[in-house]
Amino acid sequence: MNFVIKKLQKATRLTKQFLKDNSNIIFTKADKGNLTVALDKNMYIEKVKTMLDDKDTYMKILKDPTSKINNNLRQLLAGWKKQNYISESTYKQLYCSDGNIPRAYALPKVHKLNCPIKIIISSLDSALYNLAAFLHSLIVKSIPKAASNIENSFELVQKLKNIKIDHGFSLVSLDVISLYTDIPTDLAIDALSNRWDCICENCNLPKNEFIKAARLVLDKNNSLIFDWYKKSTFSGRFLNFLSQHSISQKKGIIFNLVDKVFYISHSQFHKKNLEFVVKILLENDYPIDFIFDTINERVKTLINKLNSCSAKKTNNNLPKERVKWFSIPYLKRYRIN
């Protein structure tokens, strides 16, 4: 036994030294197969960055939402406790005052071509983890399994082995890419709402409170994201630069388009929409220098407006000196010599 321990200690020491000498290599688990994979660190980071740059799936937020989430969670649970939906012990179990931000990491799919990666979001010790686990246990316990549910490959074989099929047919396995990030929140909420008759049997919460909690867990930053929508009939035709109209009118066209980009669409769409504006203006014969000079002028104006509003708001919050007034009676025939 001592011999084995010494061997393990030596192997551990050599492994640590190897990792220290090769900081450009990272070790992680494979997505499937319980394998350990060695990856070039730069390649790993580049693959993760490429996936996170997908703006249709991921959104870059401007500040840490943990404080807001904690406040929403506290208000939700305090209301439940006040209405006796949950006990004091359950409240303490679900509430988290110092949760961490969920962390993302990637697992390589070594069984696929070019070794793509799978993004995993670990919510352990996050503010909403305990609430999510609580809701999950209620859902799993309450909703009956679908007839199409397959636990494992053994059950699959049992269900298929007695099925007779004609020649020329094949069994096809389909894989969904980014399944969870492609499920709309409203679709998940509707699915829970439609199955409330099953859930309510094991849940002390009323339906509206359960749905509110589910939305808190599922919602992306609890906010609406807007983009500049253009109908299919949008022609892209604006006042042509070669027309006889004044320069001020042509600049007004650009001002209006820039305002739509910044006032209508969320910041994650600004780059895309500005590129679209430049493309449309070029198609309407606007010179490239004129386009960028005018866009730059308008952006500066918008920034100044924003700063002015912020300063005004700040000044309004400052304590104001109380002004004293007194009245002077009006004497129609009184005259000062």
Side-chain angles (χ1 to χ4, degrees):
M1 182 62 71
N2 290 334
F3 174 77
V4 174
I5 292 175
K6 287 182 179 180
K7 282 286 187 181
L8 289 174
Q9 289 175 341
K10 182 180 179 180
T12 301
R13 187 170 60 254
L14 291 174
T15 301
K16 288 182 177 180
Q17 187 61 45
F18 177 83
L19 292 175
K20 184 178 180 180
D21 296 338
N22 297 272
S23 58
N24 61 319
I25 298 177
I26 63 170
F27 291 88
T28 184
K29 290 184 177 180
D31 180 44
K32 293 179 180 178
N34 197 25
L35 301 174
T36 299
V37 183
L39 291 172
D40 178 79
K41 186 175 182 179
N42 293 330
M43 183 184 73
Y44 173 85
I45 293 174
E46 188 62 32
K47 284 178 177 285
V48 173
K49 188 175 182 300
T50 300
M51 288 198 69
L52 295 180
D53 283 342
D54 179 8
K55 292 182 173 56
D56 293 330
T57 304
Y58 302 98
M59 179 183 69
K60 185 176 181 179
I61 57 178
L62 301 179
K63 63 179 182 179
D64 182 2
T66 303
S67 177
K68 180 180 178 181
I69 292 174
N70 282 337
N71 290 335
N72 292 338
L73 177 63
R74 183 175 62 253
Q75 292 175 11
L76 178 74
L77 297 179
W80 288 2
K81 187 174 68 170
K82 184 177 180 180
Q83 296 295 328
N84 293 321
Y85 297 147
I86 58 174
S87 63
E88 178 69 26
S89 60
T90 303
Y91 173 86
K92 292 180 179 179
Q93 175 190 348
L94 299 181
Y95 181 59
C96 178
S97 61
D98 56 351
N100 298 322
I101 301 175
R103 303 290 178 176
Y105 63 94
L107 298 180
K109 299 183 178 183
V110 295
H111 59 290
K112 293 190 176 182
L113 184 65
N114 296 325
C115 192
I117 61 170
K118 176 181 180 180
I119 296 290
I120 305 293
I121 307 297
S122 175
S123 296
L124 287 171
D125 298 325
S126 67
L128 296 176
Y129 178 78
N130 292 333
L131 177 62
F134 172 75
L135 298 177
H136 177 263
S137 64
L138 288 175
I139 294 170
V140 171
K141 182 168 57 176
S142 305
I143 298 178
K145 292 181 180 179
S148 57
N149 180 73
I150 301 293
E151 289 289 341
N152 48 48
S153 57
F154 298 104
E155 184 179 348
L156 177 64
V157 171
Q158 289 297 320
K159 287 190 174 185
L160 295 180
K161 68 179 182 180
N162 294 322
I163 295 179
K164 306 297 182 182
I165 60 174
D166 296 331
H167 292 290
F169 285 85
S170 300
L171 178 65
V172 178
S173 174
L174 301 178
D175 190 15
V176 180
I177 299 175
S178 302
L179 172 63
Y180 296 109
T181 53
D182 285 334
I183 298 177
T185 299
D186 288 339
L187 179 62
I189 295 297
D190 288 343
L192 293 174
S193 181
N194 294 336
R195 293 164 176 79
W196 179 248
D197 289 342
C198 298
I199 299 173
C200 67
E201 295 180 1
N202 298 298
C203 181
N204 294 327
L205 299 170
K207 181 179 179 180
N208 65 313
E209 291 295 328
F210 185 89
I211 296 298
K212 186 192 299 184
R215 191 172 288 280
L216 176 62
V217 171
L218 295 173
D219 270 0
K220 303 174 181 65
N221 203 27
N222 301 315
S223 60
L224 295 175
I225 303 299
F226 295 95
D227 193 11
W228 177 11
Y229 172 74
K230 294 167 282 292
K231 292 184 178 180
S232 57
T233 55
F234 177 77
S235 65
R237 294 179 62 185
F238 290 92
L239 179 65
N240 194 282
F241 188 80
L242 301 179
S243 69
Q244 298 301 314
H245 294 77
S246 65
I247 287 294
S248 61
Q249 288 178 288
K250 295 166 184 175
K251 291 180 71 172
I253 294 292
I254 300 179
F255 287 170
N256 179 263
L257 292 173
V258 172
D259 287 356
K260 284 187 175 182
V261 170
F262 287 98
Y263 285 132
I264 294 179
S265 63
H266 187 269
S267 58
Q268 66 174 302
F269 303 117
H270 286 174
K271 181 176 181 294
K272 168 180 73 78
N273 288 334
L274 276 176
E275 290 174 350
F276 174 78
V277 166
V278 173
K279 176 177 176 292
I280 289 297
L281 291 171
L282 288 173
E283 291 174 355
N284 285 272
D285 298 320
Y286 283 71
I288 189 69
D289 291 340
F290 181 79
I291 293 173
F292 282 107
D293 288 344
T294 309
I295 289 177
N296 188 45
E297 178 185 345
R298 188 57 178 173
V299 169
K300 286 182 178 179
T301 301
L302 295 178
I303 292 174
N304 289 335
K305 281 185 178 180
L306 179 63
N307 292 336
S308 176
C309 291
S310 299
K312 186 176 180 180
K313 185 176 180 180
T314 302
N315 292 334
N316 288 338
N317 292 332
L318 295 175
K320 296 182 179 180
E321 183 179 355
R322 185 175 180 181
V323 180
K324 296 181 179 180
W325 299 87
F326 64 95
S327 59
I328 300 177
Y330 172 67
L331 301 178
K332 185 176 181 180
R333 296 184 180 180
Y334 182 78
R335 185 173 62 184
I336 300 176
N337 294 324

